[in-house]
């Protein structure tokens, strides 16, 4: 038995000596790699798609619907990794901008644009699914032969839902549905935007 313990002690001597060697610097503790894809700091987004502008009478019945091109710009700052405060601006544009310039070819379809700018909150319900809602100001423009009308600003509300179909470290591509509505007391009419768009965001 004594011989066995002697063998164990001899085998352990190198390890003990290494542990007690003067000037030995212990290895630095390893640090976890920084997380990728975490939303921090400033946020910038753009979007492009298509949708419609619907005009409604005060009782809610639809008067006309105009298809159009949707353009969107969003800028803000992440408050937490899943919530941001943003200024969201978007527009729906119907027509090619030449209705008032070619009266001889006018077919009764005016050029129309409905613009919305809102202060909104954007919340990622899951790592890829987000909701947006806010309040702001809206206005619309109508152009036709003999008509060049710009509405007074009106209060507006907006909602959006999006899903990020692709993500890199600081960039995301999403599909989104957007809605905005405003009531114009001076014209006694409501205008609503609804659009599907593809968005690109940096954060």
């Amino acid at each position: 038995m004594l011989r066995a313990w002697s063998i164990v002690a001899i085998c352990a001597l190198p390890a003990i000596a290494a542990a007690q060697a003067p000037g030995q610097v212990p290895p630095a503790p390893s640090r976890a790699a920084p997380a990728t894809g975490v939303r921090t700091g400033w946020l910038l987004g753009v979007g492009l798609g298509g949708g419609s502008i619907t005009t409604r009478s005060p009782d809610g019945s639809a008067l006309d619907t105009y298809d159009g091109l949707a353009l969107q710009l969003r800028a803000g700052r992440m408050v937490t990794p899943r919530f941001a405060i943003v200024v969201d601006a978007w527009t729906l544009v119907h027509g090619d901008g030449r209705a008032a310039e070619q009266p001889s070819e006018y077919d009764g379809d005016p050029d129309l644009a409905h613009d919305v700018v809102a202060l909104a909150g954007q919340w990622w319900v899951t790592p890829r699914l987000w909701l947006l809602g806010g309040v702001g100001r809206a206005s619309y423009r109508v152009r036709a032969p003999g008509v060049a009308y710009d509405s007074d600003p009106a209060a507006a509300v907006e909602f959006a839902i999006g899903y990020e179909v692709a993500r890199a470290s600081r960039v995301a591509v999403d599909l989104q549905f957007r809605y905005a509505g405003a009531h114009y007391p001076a014209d006694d009419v409501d205008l609503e935007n609804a659009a599907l768009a593809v968005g690109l965001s940096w954060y």
Side-chain angles (χ1 to χ4, degrees):
M1 178 64 71
L2 182 59
R3 182 179 180 183
W5 280 107
S6 300
I7 294 173
V8 171
I10 292 171
C11 293
L13 283 175
I16 296 172
Q20 295 180 345
Q24 185 76 21
V25 179
S30 60
R31 296 182 179 179
T36 59
V38 176
R39 301 175 185 88
T40 59
W42 296 100
L43 177 151
L44 178 65
V46 295
L48 176 66
S52 62
I53 306 169
T54 300
T55 60
R56 296 184 181 276
S57 63
D59 63 6
S61 58
L63 300 175
D64 290 292
T65 299
Y66 305 89
D67 60 352
L69 176 69
L71 303 170
Q72 178 259 332
L73 176 65
R74 184 173 76 260
R77 188 169 180 84
M78 301 300 304
V79 179
T80 73
R82 294 178 63 175
F83 184 78
I85 300 295
V86 300
V87 175
D88 189 63
W90 67 295
T91 185
L92 262 166
V93 181
H94 170 79
D96 57 9
R98 297 184 298 175
E101 300 174 2
Q102 300 175 339
S104 62
E105 301 178 11
Y106 182 65
D107 58 1
D109 187 23
D111 291 333
L112 173 65
H114 191 208
D115 309 321
V116 180
V117 179
L119 180 64
Q122 186 173 0
W123 173 46
W124 279 261
V125 184
T126 72
R128 291 180 180 267
L129 178 67
W130 56 262
L131 301 175
L132 181 146
V135 295
R137 305 278 281 179
S139 62
Y140 70 93
R141 309 182 303 277
V142 181
R143 298 292 185 268
V147 176
Y149 180 75
D150 294 83
S151 74
D152 293 332
V157 296
E158 73 159 356
F159 304 98
I161 181 171
Y163 185 82
E164 295 177 351
V165 296
R167 284 186 61 190
S169 175
R170 306 287 289 179
V171 180
V173 178
D174 58 37
L175 299 177
Q176 51 186 264
F177 170 77
R178 298 181 149 269
Y179 167 86
H183 174 66
Y184 295 89
D187 305 320
D188 203 21
V189 68
D190 296 346
L191 267 70
E192 299 175 351
N193 285 2
L196 292 172
V198 176
L200 182 63
S201 299
W202 295 267
Y203 45 75

